[in-house]
């Protein structure tokens, strides 16, 4: 169990996208986010109280969470002084990076010396099966995106919250480090051996009541040449009954790929749906989620209205404007 509250370490994150782990915790578990700690030159700012390690510890912080998801998921040498000092003061450390805390000899030595615990949430904890493709009872919804970091997790979490408030049966199923740090459980999909990725999603979303919805956290994008593999595992292992298309319209190119433009929502629909129907022929695209954080309210509402007419689907920014129209689409299935 990772002790809360957290001090969120942003390190030298170049921008807000790189701090998406910390942002997710701030937005969905604000009671666990006591403050932020940034290194000089950090380009991310969560708007939380700036705190030193000692100040935050004195205020009750228990765990220093590395809130950065950099390309490749590495522990920067520039962070080491802070991480070791945190252990010395009495913190535990938690991270969801591919580069594991437990593999860093100096951090292991400091944890042993000062009695701290190293939490690597991006480590599979169960023996997952190879996917069998057998249809499971219950219902499943998966968010798929035109790019990485376009709001797939926020969509699933917002819908699960609103469905629960309506009295519907729904469970958010975390598949990445941020979702796991928020909810405390899930499958770190991109750390699972490739042959077992789809099977891990079958494991994560087992048989359930006929009227129960698993809201499966999306990852990557079918159009992202770096991360399309995790998306395919979710599409086939999840056997979704419903797909939500996710998009961020202000991007000039795909994240980390300057020479790649984002596909259209039509391209995403026409690519993702046939692939989903391989595992579940009844799968449908039921709505569109648009991340409008970089748009004015007027521009956002106009864009959503245009997209809804063009695609003949309900469209919203579920975090900014609520997910009711998307939940309505599931309620009639």
């Amino acid at each position: 169990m990772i002790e809360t509250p957290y001090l969120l370490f942003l390190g030298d994150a170049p921008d807000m996208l790189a701090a998406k782990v910390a942002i997710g915790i701030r937005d969905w578990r604000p009671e666990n986010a006591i403050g932020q700690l940034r290194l000089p030159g950090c380009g991310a700012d969560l708007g939380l109280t700036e705190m030193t390690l000692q100040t935050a510890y004195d205020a009750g912080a228990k765990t220093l969470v590395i809130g950065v998801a950099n390309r490749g998921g590495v522990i920067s040498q520039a962070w080491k002084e802070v991480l070791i000092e945190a252990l010395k003061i009495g913190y535990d450390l938690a991270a969801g990076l591919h580069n594991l805390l437990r593999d860093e000899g100096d951090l292991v030595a400091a944890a042993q010396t000062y009695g701290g615990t190293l939490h690597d949430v991006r480590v599979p904890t169960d023996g997952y099966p190879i996917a069998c493709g057998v249809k499971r009872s219950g219902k499943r919804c998966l968010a798929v995106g035109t790019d990485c970091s376009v709001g797939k997790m926020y969509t699933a979490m917002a819908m699960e919250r609103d469905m629960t408030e309506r009295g519907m049966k729904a469970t958010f199923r975390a598949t990445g480090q941020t979702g796991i740090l928020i909810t405390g459980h899930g499958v770190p999909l991109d750390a699972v051996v490739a042959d077992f990725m789809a099977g891990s999603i079958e494991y994560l979303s087992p048989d359930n009541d006929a009227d129960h919805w698993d809201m499966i956290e999306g990852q990557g994008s079918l159009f992202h040449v770096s991360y399309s593999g995790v998306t395919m595992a979710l599409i086939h292992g999840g056997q979704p009954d419903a797909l939500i298309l996710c998009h961020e319209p202000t991007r000039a190119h795909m994240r980390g790929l300057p020479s790649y433009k984002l596909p259209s929502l039509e391209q995403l629909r026409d690519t993702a749906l046939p692939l989903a129907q391989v595992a579940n022929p009844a799968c449908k695209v039921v709505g569109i989620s648009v991340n409008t954080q970089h748009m004015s309210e007027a521009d956002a509402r106009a864009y959503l209205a245009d997209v809804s007419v063009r695609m003949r689907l309900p469209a919203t920014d579920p975090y900014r404007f609520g997910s009711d129209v998307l939940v309505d689409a599931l309620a009639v299935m």
Side-chain angles (χ1 to χ4, degrees), residues 202-216:
E202 291 185 350
Y203 174 92
L204 180 68
S205 179
D207 287 311
N208 218 313
D209 295 340
D211 58 348
H212 179 278
W213 281 95
D214 274 341
M215 307 305 295
I216 301 174

Side-chain angles (χ1 to χ4, degrees), residues 53-54 57 81-93 107 110-111 113-116:
L53 287 170
Q54 192 62 58
Y57 188 78
E81 184 177 345
V82 173
L83 300 181
I84 292 172
E85 181 63 20
L87 290 165
K88 185 176 181 180
I89 289 172
Y91 284 88
D92 293 337
L93 301 182
L107 297 182
T113 298
Y114 303 115

Side-chain angles (χ1 to χ4, degrees), residues 16-331:
M16 290 294 282
L17 270 180
K20 67 176 186 177
V21 175
I23 293 170
I25 294 170
R26 178 203 65 185
D27 288 350
W28 293 101
R29 292 293 185 271
E31 69 277 11
N32 290 344
I34 202 168
Q36 66 182 26
L37 173 60
R38 302 186 296 162
L39 294 178
C42 180
D45 184 354
L46 305 187
L48 298 175
T49 303
E50 297 279 0
M51 306 183 85
T52 66
L53 287 170
Q54 192 62 58
T55 301
Y57 188 78
D58 292 343
K62 302 294 185 184
T63 304
L64 182 70
V65 172
I66 297 177
V68 184
N70 54 23
R71 188 170 177 84
V74 298
I75 296 173
S76 168
Q77 288 300 312
W79 304 347
K80 286 293 188 70
E81 184 177 345
V82 173
L83 300 181
I84 292 172
E85 181 63 20
L87 290 165
K88 185 176 181 180
I89 289 172
Y91 284 88
D92 293 337
L93 301 182
L97 301 168
H98 286 299
N99 186 184
L100 303 180
L101 297 169
R102 69 183 69 175
D103 290 338
E104 298 296 308
D106 48 0
L107 297 182
V108 172
Q112 291 173 342
T113 298
Y114 303 115
T117 301
L118 305 179
H119 297 281
D120 287 303
V121 302
R122 211 173 195 159
V123 175
T125 57
D126 297 292
Y128 303 122
I130 291 176
C132 65
V134 174
K135 179 64 176 173
R136 307 187 295 284
S137 59
K139 300 177 181 180
R140 288 156 194 85
C141 179
L142 174 66
V144 292
T146 54
D147 193 8
C148 303
S149 305
V150 292
K152 298 182 293 292
M153 183 190 79
Y154 275 54
T155 298
M157 293 200 73
M159 292 180 69
E160 186 251 9
R161 176 197 61 202
D162 295 343
M163 293 167 78
T164 300
E165 289 177 357
R166 290 194 192 190
M168 298 172 67
K169 298 176 184 177
T171 303
F172 172 74
R173 302 296 189 183
T175 62
Q177 72 270 31
T178 307
I180 293 170
L181 281 166
I182 291 169
T183 64
H185 52 81
V187 169
L189 183 59
D190 60 7
V192 175
V193 173
D195 277 357
F196 300 93
M197 287 197 298
S200 74
I201 303 305
E202 291 185 350
Y203 174 92
L204 180 68
S205 179
D207 287 311
N208 218 313
D209 295 340
D211 58 348
H212 179 278
W213 281 95
D214 274 341
M215 307 305 295
I216 301 174
E217 179 187 3
Q219 298 290 338
S221 170
L222 289 171
F223 294 87
H224 199 294
V225 295
S226 303
Y227 308 121
S228 56
V230 291
T231 314
M232 275 300 306
L234 285 160
I235 288 173
H236 285 168
Q239 292 184 347
D241 299 277
L243 294 177
I244 305 291
L245 309 182
C246 298
H247 184 53
E248 207 280 63
T250 68
R251 298 224 180 138
H253 57 78
M254 299 196 78
R255 187 182 180 197
L257 300 174
S259 62
Y260 283 79
K261 302 297 184 183
L262 272 68
S264 68
L265 284 164
E266 288 88 349
Q267 286 176 288
L268 175 61
R269 176 198 62 201
D270 294 344
T271 301
L273 183 58
L275 291 171
Q277 289 175 338
V278 170
N280 183 357
C283 183
K284 300 177 181 178
V285 175
V286 300
I288 299 169
S289 172
V290 182
N291 181 344
T292 67
Q293 65 176 319
H294 299 302
M295 305 170 75
S296 70
E297 181 169 343
D299 287 346
R301 291 192 182 279
Y303 183 86
L304 291 168
D306 177 71
V307 164
S308 183
V309 170
R310 190 181 92 219
M311 300 290 292
R312 299 181 181 180
L313 290 168
T316 186
D317 181 329
Y319 188 73
R320 189 175 187 180
F321 302 129
S323 71
D324 284 345
V325 296
L326 303 179
V327 174
D328 289 343
L330 296 189

